Amino acid sequence: MSLEGLQPHQNIQNLMLTNYGGVKLSGWLLSLTNLVELTLKDCAKCEYLVPLNQFKCLKHLKLERLICLEYISNTNSVSEDLVGSTTTLLPSLETLELLDLPNLKGWWREIEVDHSCFDANANANEDNHTSLPYYLPSLSKLTIRDCPKLTCMPLYPRLEGKLQLNKTSWKPLEETLRMRMMYLTTPSFSPLSKLERLYLTDIDDLECLPDSFKSLACLSRFHIDGCPKLKDLCPGILHLSSLRRLWISRCERLGDMLISDDYDSMWQALNVTLQSLGLCKLPNIVTVLPRGIQHLTSLQQLEVFKCDSLTTIPEWINNLKSLKSLWLYDCPNLTSFPEGIRSLTTLNLLYIDSCPMLLKRCKRNTGEDWDKISHIEDLTLIPDANKEEENEGCNLLNKFRLRNTRNEG
């Protein structure tokens, strides 16, 4: 009743509603037709939203921790949310954030899907569509995090900046990539052809990167983290002709593919553009780094984090003629550097942290591998036995700064 009595001005453009305890939102929300930005957060009992088709000017929508919300649209049918007779909705929406919505299942409660809008040549079975032939025409940035039940939503073929999917289903992205070209207003337009950054984290139903990745012509940064069923980056990764940074973490079944000699062609294809490669928590990488990395002669940065089984940096590292920085963190069994590291004349940054066996050999002036790395301009060893007092002072300073930051917060 308190919220119903507020009645904000009809021309309001920005509304944030936090910790509202009702099941339904107030009716006056429908009158805010000039709304540009809407945020609903921590509305623990909210089960129903107002029909979003009223908001023709809405550019930014954020829904966070609405734990009872199952469907975003409260309309009786899909047609009520569409713009005219087209298949587009929320025509001005540019950014959409769906965060921590544990019971969200989809956009509409009941839908009918026209399978003719999808590419019949795609790998997936056409009878398994769970997304919609309706799309958000202006959406350029999408973040979905901790929405494990969400498998059905409008497609988003025109994203330009960043797509971040975390603890949600792979299916809406898969079907966005499979949209027929003829279905879009511009016949020559490919879905997600302008997407620049893609982050896939804790996606349980992703098994391989499909051929439909050929649409991702502008993708420059690709992070894959915690996808337990992912076992193959091909054929999709072969089409990423603009990829500059690749980060792979916590994908246990992917390890066998990375170390296989059968995938040399994949590494060679990546060599054209790839500048930065990160590998983290990949238990199948045993003893040495994947041999295919030696083909990445354009690589400028290599990061290896938390690979417990890694024991050796191979001699072929001297093939990485463009390498500028090498980061090694928490690889406890890494023992030594090869002679080949001496010939990396472009290497000007080496960071070694929590690699006790390697650090012992890299001890300044006296370590067995010190002469191999002493020429590197920016050298960080943690802990550095020769700088124990300095390290202790830095730690005390960092603790002091952290305490002050917390007090200010």
Short mmCIF file of all heavy atoms in Angstrom, two decimals, residues 313-376:
data_model
loop_
_atom_site.label_atom_id
_atom_site.label_comp_id
_atom_site.label_asym_id
_atom_site.label_seq_id
_atom_site.Cartn_x
_atom_site.Cartn_y
_atom_site.Cartn_z
N ILE A 313 58.95 -26.50 -18.36
CA ILE A 313 58.77 -25.57 -19.47
C ILE A 313 59.62 -26.13 -20.62
O ILE A 313 60.84 -26.23 -20.49
CB ILE A 313 59.23 -24.16 -19.11
CG1 ILE A 313 58.46 -23.63 -17.91
CG2 ILE A 313 59.08 -23.22 -20.31
CD1 ILE A 313 57.00 -23.40 -18.17
N PRO A 314 59.03 -26.54 -21.74
CA PRO A 314 59.78 -27.24 -22.78
C PRO A 314 60.77 -26.35 -23.53
O PRO A 314 60.65 -25.13 -23.55
CB PRO A 314 58.67 -27.74 -23.72
CG PRO A 314 57.54 -26.82 -23.50
CD PRO A 314 57.60 -26.41 -22.07
N GLU A 315 61.73 -27.00 -24.16
CA GLU A 315 62.77 -26.28 -24.89
C GLU A 315 62.22 -25.48 -26.06
O GLU A 315 62.78 -24.45 -26.45
CB GLU A 315 63.83 -27.29 -25.38
CG GLU A 315 65.12 -26.65 -25.86
CD GLU A 315 65.89 -25.97 -24.73
OE1 GLU A 315 65.99 -26.58 -23.64
OE2 GLU A 315 66.35 -24.83 -24.93
N TRP A 316 61.09 -25.96 -26.61
CA TRP A 316 60.54 -25.26 -27.78
C TRP A 316 59.97 -23.89 -27.46
O TRP A 316 59.51 -23.17 -28.35
CB TRP A 316 59.48 -26.09 -28.49
CG TRP A 316 58.35 -26.65 -27.66
CD1 TRP A 316 58.14 -27.97 -27.34
CD2 TRP A 316 57.25 -25.92 -27.07
NE1 TRP A 316 57.00 -28.11 -26.59
CE2 TRP A 316 56.43 -26.87 -26.41
CE3 TRP A 316 56.88 -24.58 -27.01
CZ2 TRP A 316 55.28 -26.52 -25.71
CZ3 TRP A 316 55.74 -24.22 -26.33
CH2 TRP A 316 54.95 -25.17 -25.69
N ILE A 317 60.04 -23.48 -26.21
CA ILE A 317 59.54 -22.14 -25.88
C ILE A 317 60.30 -21.07 -26.65
O ILE A 317 59.81 -19.95 -26.84
CB ILE A 317 59.60 -21.89 -24.37
CG1 ILE A 317 58.68 -20.70 -23.99
CG2 ILE A 317 61.04 -21.68 -23.90
CD1 ILE A 317 58.52 -20.48 -22.51
N ASN A 318 61.52 -21.41 -27.11
CA ASN A 318 62.29 -20.43 -27.88
C ASN A 318 61.67 -20.14 -29.24
O ASN A 318 62.10 -19.23 -29.95
CB ASN A 318 63.75 -20.88 -28.04
CG ASN A 318 63.87 -22.20 -28.80
OD1 ASN A 318 62.88 -22.76 -29.27
ND2 ASN A 318 65.09 -22.72 -28.90
N ASN A 319 60.61 -20.91 -29.63
CA ASN A 319 59.88 -20.62 -30.87
C ASN A 319 58.95 -19.43 -30.72
O ASN A 319 58.50 -18.86 -31.73
CB ASN A 319 59.05 -21.84 -31.31
CG ASN A 319 59.91 -23.01 -31.73
OD1 ASN A 319 61.06 -22.82 -32.13
ND2 ASN A 319 59.37 -24.21 -31.66
N LEU A 320 58.64 -19.06 -29.49
CA LEU A 320 57.70 -17.96 -29.25
C LEU A 320 58.45 -16.63 -29.34
O LEU A 320 58.66 -15.92 -28.36
CB LEU A 320 57.04 -18.13 -27.88
CG LEU A 320 56.35 -19.48 -27.63
CD1 LEU A 320 55.68 -19.49 -26.26
CD2 LEU A 320 55.34 -19.79 -28.72
N LYS A 321 58.84 -16.28 -30.54
CA LYS A 321 59.72 -15.14 -30.79
C LYS A 321 59.10 -13.80 -30.43
O LYS A 321 59.81 -12.80 -30.26
CB LYS A 321 60.15 -15.13 -32.26
CG LYS A 321 60.90 -16.37 -32.72
CD LYS A 321 62.19 -16.55 -31.95
CE LYS A 321 62.98 -17.74 -32.48
NZ LYS A 321 64.24 -17.98 -31.70
N SER A 322 57.76 -13.76 -30.30
CA SER A 322 57.10 -12.49 -29.99
C SER A 322 56.73 -12.36 -28.52
O SER A 322 56.15 -11.34 -28.12
CB SER A 322 55.82 -12.35 -30.84
OG SER A 322 56.10 -12.44 -32.22
N LEU A 323 57.06 -13.36 -27.70
CA LEU A 323 56.63 -13.39 -26.31
C LEU A 323 57.25 -12.22 -25.52
O LEU A 323 58.47 -12.05 -25.49
CB LEU A 323 57.02 -14.72 -25.66
CG LEU A 323 56.33 -15.03 -24.32
CD1 LEU A 323 54.83 -15.22 -24.52
CD2 LEU A 323 56.94 -16.27 -23.68
N LYS A 324 56.37 -11.44 -24.87
CA LYS A 324 56.81 -10.29 -24.09
C LYS A 324 56.66 -10.53 -22.58
O LYS A 324 57.43 -9.97 -21.80
CB LYS A 324 56.01 -9.05 -24.48
CG LYS A 324 56.26 -8.57 -25.90
CD LYS A 324 55.45 -7.32 -26.20
CE LYS A 324 55.71 -6.82 -27.61
NZ LYS A 324 54.92 -5.59 -27.91
N SER A 325 55.67 -11.32 -22.19
CA SER A 325 55.47 -11.56 -20.75
C SER A 325 55.10 -13.01 -20.49
O SER A 325 54.33 -13.61 -21.25
CB SER A 325 54.39 -10.62 -20.19
OG SER A 325 53.14 -10.86 -20.78
N LEU A 326 55.63 -13.55 -19.41
CA LEU A 326 55.37 -14.93 -19.00
C LEU A 326 55.00 -14.91 -17.52
O LEU A 326 55.76 -14.41 -16.68
CB LEU A 326 56.61 -15.80 -19.22
CG LEU A 326 56.55 -17.25 -18.73
CD1 LEU A 326 55.42 -18.00 -19.42
CD2 LEU A 326 57.89 -17.94 -18.96
N TRP A 327 53.79 -15.45 -17.23
CA TRP A 327 53.27 -15.46 -15.87
C TRP A 327 53.12 -16.91 -15.40
O TRP A 327 52.42 -17.70 -16.04
CB TRP A 327 51.91 -14.76 -15.81
CG TRP A 327 51.93 -13.33 -16.23
CD1 TRP A 327 52.08 -12.84 -17.49
CD2 TRP A 327 51.81 -12.18 -15.38
NE1 TRP A 327 52.05 -11.47 -17.50
CE2 TRP A 327 51.88 -11.03 -16.21
CE3 TRP A 327 51.63 -12.01 -14.01
CZ2 TRP A 327 51.79 -9.74 -15.71
CZ3 TRP A 327 51.53 -10.72 -13.51
CH2 TRP A 327 51.62 -9.61 -14.35
N LEU A 328 53.74 -17.24 -14.29
CA LEU A 328 53.66 -18.59 -13.71
C LEU A 328 53.21 -18.45 -12.27
O LEU A 328 53.90 -17.81 -11.46
CB LEU A 328 55.02 -19.29 -13.78
CG LEU A 328 55.64 -19.43 -15.18
CD1 LEU A 328 57.07 -19.93 -15.08
CD2 LEU A 328 54.80 -20.35 -16.05
N TYR A 329 52.06 -19.05 -11.94
CA TYR A 329 51.52 -18.91 -10.58
C TYR A 329 51.02 -20.25 -10.05
O TYR A 329 50.25 -20.95 -10.71
CB TYR A 329 50.37 -17.90 -10.57
CG TYR A 329 49.67 -17.80 -9.24
CD1 TYR A 329 50.27 -17.15 -8.17
CD2 TYR A 329 48.41 -18.37 -9.05
CE1 TYR A 329 49.64 -17.07 -6.94
CE2 TYR A 329 47.77 -18.29 -7.81
CZ TYR A 329 48.39 -17.64 -6.76
OH TYR A 329 47.77 -17.58 -5.55
N ASP A 330 51.47 -20.60 -8.87
CA ASP A 330 51.00 -21.77 -8.14
C ASP A 330 51.11 -23.05 -8.97
O ASP A 330 50.15 -23.80 -9.13
CB ASP A 330 49.56 -21.56 -7.67
CG ASP A 330 49.19 -22.50 -6.53
OD1 ASP A 330 50.08 -23.21 -6.03
OD2 ASP A 330 47.99 -22.53 -6.16
N CYS A 331 52.30 -23.28 -9.50
CA CYS A 331 52.63 -24.55 -10.18
C CYS A 331 53.71 -25.22 -9.33
O CYS A 331 54.92 -25.08 -9.61
CB CYS A 331 53.10 -24.30 -11.61
SG CYS A 331 51.89 -23.49 -12.67
N PRO A 332 53.33 -25.94 -8.27
CA PRO A 332 54.29 -26.38 -7.24
C PRO A 332 55.32 -27.38 -7.73
O PRO A 332 56.37 -27.52 -7.11
CB PRO A 332 53.38 -27.01 -6.17
CG PRO A 332 52.12 -27.39 -6.89
CD PRO A 332 51.95 -26.35 -7.96
N ASN A 333 55.05 -28.09 -8.83
CA ASN A 333 55.98 -29.11 -9.31
C ASN A 333 56.82 -28.66 -10.50
O ASN A 333 57.57 -29.45 -11.07
CB ASN A 333 55.20 -30.37 -9.69
CG ASN A 333 54.60 -31.05 -8.47
OD1 ASN A 333 55.29 -31.35 -7.50
ND2 ASN A 333 53.29 -31.27 -8.49
N LEU A 334 56.69 -27.40 -10.87
CA LEU A 334 57.51 -26.86 -11.96
C LEU A 334 58.95 -26.72 -11.46
O LEU A 334 59.20 -26.04 -10.46
CB LEU A 334 56.94 -25.51 -12.40
CG LEU A 334 57.50 -24.88 -13.66
CD1 LEU A 334 57.33 -25.82 -14.85
CD2 LEU A 334 56.81 -23.55 -13.94
N THR A 335 59.88 -27.36 -12.16
CA THR A 335 61.22 -27.52 -11.59
C THR A 335 62.27 -26.57 -12.16
O THR A 335 63.15 -26.12 -11.41
CB THR A 335 61.72 -28.96 -11.82
OG1 THR A 335 61.67 -29.26 -13.23
CG2 THR A 335 60.84 -29.95 -11.07
N SER A 336 62.22 -26.27 -13.47
CA SER A 336 63.34 -25.52 -14.04
C SER A 336 62.95 -24.85 -15.34
O SER A 336 61.90 -25.14 -15.93
CB SER A 336 64.54 -26.45 -14.28
OG SER A 336 64.18 -27.44 -15.25
N PHE A 337 63.81 -23.93 -15.79
CA PHE A 337 63.65 -23.29 -17.09
C PHE A 337 64.58 -23.96 -18.10
O PHE A 337 65.68 -24.39 -17.77
CB PHE A 337 64.02 -21.81 -17.01
CG PHE A 337 62.91 -20.94 -16.49
CD1 PHE A 337 63.08 -20.20 -15.32
CD2 PHE A 337 61.71 -20.84 -17.17
CE1 PHE A 337 62.06 -19.40 -14.84
CE2 PHE A 337 60.68 -20.04 -16.69
CZ PHE A 337 60.86 -19.32 -15.53
N PRO A 338 64.16 -24.03 -19.36
CA PRO A 338 65.04 -24.59 -20.40
C PRO A 338 66.07 -23.55 -20.85
O PRO A 338 65.92 -22.35 -20.60
CB PRO A 338 64.05 -24.91 -21.54
CG PRO A 338 62.99 -23.87 -21.39
CD PRO A 338 62.85 -23.64 -19.91
N GLU A 339 67.10 -24.00 -21.53
CA GLU A 339 68.09 -23.08 -22.08
C GLU A 339 67.46 -22.12 -23.09
O GLU A 339 67.91 -20.99 -23.26
CB GLU A 339 69.22 -23.88 -22.75
CG GLU A 339 70.14 -24.61 -21.79
CD GLU A 339 70.95 -23.64 -20.94
OE1 GLU A 339 71.27 -22.54 -21.42
OE2 GLU A 339 71.25 -24.00 -19.78
N GLY A 340 66.38 -22.60 -23.74
CA GLY A 340 65.77 -21.81 -24.80
C GLY A 340 65.22 -20.47 -24.36
O GLY A 340 65.04 -19.57 -25.19
N ILE A 341 65.00 -20.30 -23.07
CA ILE A 341 64.44 -19.03 -22.61
C ILE A 341 65.43 -17.88 -22.78
O ILE A 341 65.05 -16.71 -22.84
CB ILE A 341 63.96 -19.14 -21.14
CG1 ILE A 341 62.93 -18.04 -20.83
CG2 ILE A 341 65.14 -19.11 -20.18
CD1 ILE A 341 62.23 -18.22 -19.51
N ARG A 342 66.70 -18.22 -22.88
CA ARG A 342 67.72 -17.18 -23.09
C ARG A 342 67.52 -16.45 -24.42
O ARG A 342 67.84 -15.27 -24.54
CB ARG A 342 69.12 -17.79 -23.08
CG ARG A 342 69.55 -18.46 -21.79
CD ARG A 342 70.93 -19.06 -21.97
NE ARG A 342 71.36 -19.86 -20.84
CZ ARG A 342 72.06 -19.39 -19.80
NH1 ARG A 342 72.38 -18.12 -19.76
NH2 ARG A 342 72.43 -20.20 -18.82
N SER A 343 67.03 -17.17 -25.41
CA SER A 343 66.93 -16.60 -26.76
C SER A 343 65.67 -15.77 -26.97
O SER A 343 65.47 -15.23 -28.07
CB SER A 343 66.98 -17.73 -27.81
OG SER A 343 65.88 -18.61 -27.65
N LEU A 344 64.82 -15.66 -25.96
CA LEU A 344 63.61 -14.86 -26.09
C LEU A 344 63.95 -13.39 -25.83
O LEU A 344 63.77 -12.86 -24.73
CB LEU A 344 62.54 -15.35 -25.11
CG LEU A 344 62.01 -16.76 -25.36
CD1 LEU A 344 60.97 -17.14 -24.30
CD2 LEU A 344 61.40 -16.88 -26.75
N THR A 345 64.46 -12.74 -26.84
CA THR A 345 64.95 -11.37 -26.69
C THR A 345 63.84 -10.36 -26.45
O THR A 345 64.09 -9.26 -25.94
CB THR A 345 65.74 -10.96 -27.94
OG1 THR A 345 64.90 -11.11 -29.10
CG2 THR A 345 66.98 -11.84 -28.11
N THR A 346 62.61 -10.71 -26.82
CA THR A 346 61.48 -9.78 -26.60
C THR A 346 60.87 -9.92 -25.21
O THR A 346 60.08 -9.08 -24.81
CB THR A 346 60.38 -10.02 -27.65
OG1 THR A 346 59.90 -11.37 -27.53
CG2 THR A 346 60.90 -9.78 -29.05
N LEU A 347 61.24 -10.98 -24.48
CA LEU A 347 60.66 -11.21 -23.15
C LEU A 347 61.17 -10.17 -22.16
O LEU A 347 62.36 -10.17 -21.81
CB LEU A 347 61.01 -12.62 -22.67
CG LEU A 347 60.36 -13.07 -21.36
CD1 LEU A 347 58.85 -13.15 -21.51
CD2 LEU A 347 60.91 -14.42 -20.90
N ASN A 348 60.29 -9.27 -21.73
CA ASN A 348 60.71 -8.23 -20.80
C ASN A 348 59.98 -8.28 -19.47
O ASN A 348 60.20 -7.43 -18.61
CB ASN A 348 60.56 -6.84 -21.44
CG ASN A 348 59.15 -6.59 -21.95
OD1 ASN A 348 58.18 -7.08 -21.38
ND2 ASN A 348 59.04 -5.85 -23.04
N LEU A 349 59.08 -9.28 -19.29
CA LEU A 349 58.40 -9.42 -18.01
C LEU A 349 58.28 -10.90 -17.66
O LEU A 349 57.75 -11.69 -18.45
CB LEU A 349 57.01 -8.77 -18.06
CG LEU A 349 56.23 -8.72 -16.73
CD1 LEU A 349 55.24 -7.54 -16.74
CD2 LEU A 349 55.43 -10.00 -16.46
N LEU A 350 58.75 -11.26 -16.49
CA LEU A 350 58.63 -12.62 -15.97
C LEU A 350 58.11 -12.54 -14.55
O LEU A 350 58.70 -11.88 -13.69
CB LEU A 350 59.97 -13.35 -16.01
CG LEU A 350 59.99 -14.76 -15.38
CD1 LEU A 350 59.03 -15.69 -16.10
CD2 LEU A 350 61.40 -15.33 -15.39
N TYR A 351 56.99 -13.21 -14.32
CA TYR A 351 56.35 -13.20 -13.00
C TYR A 351 56.25 -14.63 -12.51
O TYR A 351 55.63 -15.48 -13.16
CB TYR A 351 54.96 -12.56 -13.10
CG TYR A 351 54.20 -12.48 -11.79
CD1 TYR A 351 54.23 -11.34 -11.01
CD2 TYR A 351 53.43 -13.56 -11.35
CE1 TYR A 351 53.52 -11.26 -9.81
CE2 TYR A 351 52.73 -13.50 -10.15
CZ TYR A 351 52.77 -12.35 -9.40
OH TYR A 351 52.07 -12.29 -8.22
N ILE A 352 56.87 -14.93 -11.37
CA ILE A 352 56.82 -16.28 -10.78
C ILE A 352 56.33 -16.14 -9.35
O ILE A 352 56.94 -15.45 -8.53
CB ILE A 352 58.20 -16.96 -10.79
CG1 ILE A 352 58.82 -16.92 -12.19
CG2 ILE A 352 58.08 -18.40 -10.31
CD1 ILE A 352 60.25 -17.44 -12.24
N ASP A 353 55.23 -16.81 -9.03
CA ASP A 353 54.64 -16.71 -7.70
C ASP A 353 54.19 -18.10 -7.25
O ASP A 353 53.52 -18.83 -8.00
CB ASP A 353 53.44 -15.75 -7.73
CG ASP A 353 52.88 -15.47 -6.35
OD1 ASP A 353 53.30 -16.13 -5.38
OD2 ASP A 353 52.00 -14.59 -6.23
N SER A 354 54.59 -18.50 -6.04
CA SER A 354 54.16 -19.76 -5.44
C SER A 354 54.53 -20.97 -6.29
O SER A 354 53.75 -21.90 -6.46
CB SER A 354 52.64 -19.74 -5.18
OG SER A 354 52.29 -18.65 -4.36
N CYS A 355 55.74 -20.95 -6.81
CA CYS A 355 56.32 -22.11 -7.52
C CYS A 355 57.64 -22.42 -6.80
O CYS A 355 58.72 -22.05 -7.28
CB CYS A 355 56.57 -21.79 -9.00
SG CYS A 355 55.12 -21.22 -9.92
N PRO A 356 57.58 -23.08 -5.65
CA PRO A 356 58.75 -23.17 -4.75
C PRO A 356 59.98 -23.81 -5.37
O PRO A 356 61.11 -23.34 -5.15
CB PRO A 356 58.22 -24.00 -3.57
CG PRO A 356 56.99 -24.70 -4.09
CD PRO A 356 56.40 -23.78 -5.10
N MET A 357 59.81 -24.88 -6.15
CA MET A 357 60.96 -25.55 -6.74
C MET A 357 61.64 -24.67 -7.78
O MET A 357 62.87 -24.60 -7.85
CB MET A 357 60.52 -26.88 -7.34
CG MET A 357 59.92 -27.85 -6.33
SD MET A 357 59.28 -29.37 -7.07
CE MET A 357 60.79 -30.18 -7.55
N LEU A 358 60.83 -24.02 -8.58
CA LEU A 358 61.39 -23.14 -9.61
C LEU A 358 62.05 -21.91 -8.99
O LEU A 358 63.12 -21.47 -9.43
CB LEU A 358 60.28 -22.72 -10.59
CG LEU A 358 60.71 -21.85 -11.77
CD1 LEU A 358 61.72 -22.58 -12.64
CD2 LEU A 358 59.49 -21.44 -12.60
N LEU A 359 61.40 -21.36 -7.97
CA LEU A 359 61.95 -20.17 -7.33
C LEU A 359 63.31 -20.45 -6.69
O LEU A 359 64.19 -19.58 -6.68
CB LEU A 359 60.97 -19.67 -6.26
CG LEU A 359 59.74 -18.93 -6.79
CD1 LEU A 359 58.68 -18.80 -5.69
CD2 LEU A 359 60.13 -17.56 -7.31
N LYS A 360 63.48 -21.65 -6.19
CA LYS A 360 64.77 -22.01 -5.59
C LYS A 360 65.88 -21.95 -6.63
O LYS A 360 66.99 -21.48 -6.35
CB LYS A 360 64.67 -23.41 -4.98
CG LYS A 360 65.93 -23.85 -4.24
CD LYS A 360 65.74 -25.21 -3.59
CE LYS A 360 66.99 -25.65 -2.85
NZ LYS A 360 66.82 -26.99 -2.22
N ARG A 361 65.58 -22.42 -7.85
CA ARG A 361 66.58 -22.41 -8.92
C ARG A 361 66.79 -21.01 -9.50
O ARG A 361 67.79 -20.75 -10.17
CB ARG A 361 66.18 -23.37 -10.03
CG ARG A 361 66.23 -24.84 -9.63
CD ARG A 361 65.81 -25.72 -10.79
NE ARG A 361 66.70 -25.58 -11.94
CZ ARG A 361 67.76 -26.37 -12.17
NH1 ARG A 361 68.05 -27.36 -11.34
NH2 ARG A 361 68.50 -26.19 -13.24
N CYS A 362 65.79 -20.13 -9.25
CA CYS A 362 65.88 -18.77 -9.80
C CYS A 362 66.37 -17.76 -8.77
O CYS A 362 66.25 -16.55 -9.00
CB CYS A 362 64.51 -18.34 -10.33
SG CYS A 362 63.97 -19.26 -11.78
N LYS A 363 66.90 -18.24 -7.66
CA LYS A 363 67.39 -17.34 -6.63
C LYS A 363 68.43 -16.40 -7.22
O LYS A 363 69.35 -16.81 -7.94
CB LYS A 363 68.00 -18.15 -5.48
CG LYS A 363 68.37 -17.31 -4.28
CD LYS A 363 68.87 -18.18 -3.13
CE LYS A 363 69.21 -17.33 -1.91
NZ LYS A 363 69.70 -18.16 -0.79
N ARG A 364 68.28 -15.13 -6.91
CA ARG A 364 69.14 -14.12 -7.49
C ARG A 364 70.62 -14.40 -7.23
O ARG A 364 71.02 -14.67 -6.12
CB ARG A 364 68.77 -12.73 -6.96
CG ARG A 364 67.38 -12.28 -7.35
CD ARG A 364 67.02 -10.95 -6.74
NE ARG A 364 65.63 -10.62 -6.99
CZ ARG A 364 65.19 -9.97 -8.08
NH1 ARG A 364 66.05 -9.58 -9.00
NH2 ARG A 364 63.91 -9.71 -8.24
N ASN A 365 71.39 -14.36 -8.34
CA ASN A 365 72.86 -14.48 -8.33
C ASN A 365 73.38 -15.89 -8.04
O ASN A 365 74.44 -16.27 -8.54
CB ASN A 365 73.48 -13.50 -7.33
CG ASN A 365 73.12 -12.06 -7.64
OD1 ASN A 365 73.13 -11.66 -8.81
ND2 ASN A 365 72.78 -11.29 -6.61
N THR A 366 72.65 -16.67 -7.25
CA THR A 366 73.18 -17.98 -6.84
C THR A 366 72.39 -19.17 -7.39
O THR A 366 72.89 -20.29 -7.41
CB THR A 366 73.22 -18.08 -5.31
OG1 THR A 366 71.89 -17.92 -4.79
CG2 THR A 366 74.12 -17.00 -4.72
N GLY A 367 71.14 -18.98 -7.83
CA GLY A 367 70.32 -20.08 -8.31
C GLY A 367 70.83 -20.66 -9.62
O GLY A 367 71.45 -19.97 -10.43
N GLU A 368 70.55 -21.96 -9.84
CA GLU A 368 71.05 -22.64 -11.03
C GLU A 368 70.47 -22.07 -12.32
O GLU A 368 71.09 -22.17 -13.38
CB GLU A 368 70.71 -24.13 -10.94
CG GLU A 368 71.42 -24.85 -9.80
CD GLU A 368 70.94 -26.27 -9.63
OE1 GLU A 368 71.37 -27.13 -10.40
OE2 GLU A 368 70.11 -26.51 -8.73
N ASP A 369 69.27 -21.48 -12.26
CA ASP A 369 68.65 -20.92 -13.45
C ASP A 369 68.73 -19.40 -13.51
O ASP A 369 68.17 -18.78 -14.41
CB ASP A 369 67.17 -21.34 -13.53
CG ASP A 369 66.99 -22.78 -13.96
OD1 ASP A 369 68.00 -23.41 -14.34
OD2 ASP A 369 65.86 -23.29 -13.91
N TRP A 370 69.43 -18.80 -12.58
CA TRP A 370 69.45 -17.34 -12.52
C TRP A 370 70.03 -16.73 -13.80
O TRP A 370 69.50 -15.75 -14.35
CB TRP A 370 70.25 -16.87 -11.31
CG TRP A 370 70.49 -15.38 -11.32
CD1 TRP A 370 71.68 -14.73 -11.49
CD2 TRP A 370 69.49 -14.37 -11.18
NE1 TRP A 370 71.50 -13.38 -11.45
CE2 TRP A 370 70.15 -13.12 -11.26
CE3 TRP A 370 68.11 -14.38 -10.99
CZ2 TRP A 370 69.48 -11.91 -11.16
CZ3 TRP A 370 67.44 -13.17 -10.89
CH2 TRP A 370 68.12 -11.95 -10.99
N ASP A 371 71.10 -17.32 -14.34
CA ASP A 371 71.73 -16.78 -15.54
C ASP A 371 70.79 -16.83 -16.75
O ASP A 371 70.94 -16.04 -17.68
CB ASP A 371 73.01 -17.55 -15.86
CG ASP A 371 74.13 -17.22 -14.88
OD1 ASP A 371 74.02 -16.18 -14.21
OD2 ASP A 371 75.08 -18.01 -14.80
N LYS A 372 69.82 -17.75 -16.71
CA LYS A 372 68.90 -17.88 -17.85
C LYS A 372 67.89 -16.74 -17.89
O LYS A 372 67.34 -16.43 -18.96
CB LYS A 372 68.16 -19.22 -17.77
CG LYS A 372 69.04 -20.45 -17.81
CD LYS A 372 68.20 -21.72 -17.65
CE LYS A 372 69.06 -22.96 -17.56
NZ LYS A 372 68.26 -24.19 -17.34
N ILE A 373 67.62 -16.14 -16.74
CA ILE A 373 66.55 -15.14 -16.67
C ILE A 373 67.03 -13.76 -16.22
O ILE A 373 66.25 -12.82 -16.21
CB ILE A 373 65.43 -15.61 -15.72
CG1 ILE A 373 65.95 -15.75 -14.29
CG2 ILE A 373 64.82 -16.92 -16.19
CD1 ILE A 373 64.87 -16.00 -13.25
N SER A 374 68.29 -13.64 -15.85
CA SER A 374 68.78 -12.39 -15.26
C SER A 374 68.70 -11.21 -16.22
O SER A 374 68.71 -10.06 -15.79
CB SER A 374 70.21 -12.57 -14.76
OG SER A 374 71.07 -12.94 -15.84
N HIS A 375 68.63 -11.48 -17.53
CA HIS A 375 68.57 -10.41 -18.53
C HIS A 375 67.19 -9.78 -18.64
O HIS A 375 67.04 -8.72 -19.26
CB HIS A 375 68.96 -10.96 -19.90
CG HIS A 375 67.99 -11.98 -20.43
ND1 HIS A 375 67.94 -13.27 -19.95
CD2 HIS A 375 67.01 -11.89 -21.37
CE1 HIS A 375 66.99 -13.94 -20.59
NE2 HIS A 375 66.41 -13.12 -21.46
N ILE A 376 66.17 -10.40 -18.04
CA ILE A 376 64.79 -9.93 -18.18
C ILE A 376 64.60 -8.65 -17.35
O ILE A 376 64.90 -8.62 -16.15
CB ILE A 376 63.80 -11.02 -17.74
CG1 ILE A 376 63.97 -12.25 -18.65
CG2 ILE A 376 62.36 -10.51 -17.81
CD1 ILE A 376 63.15 -13.45 -18.22
#
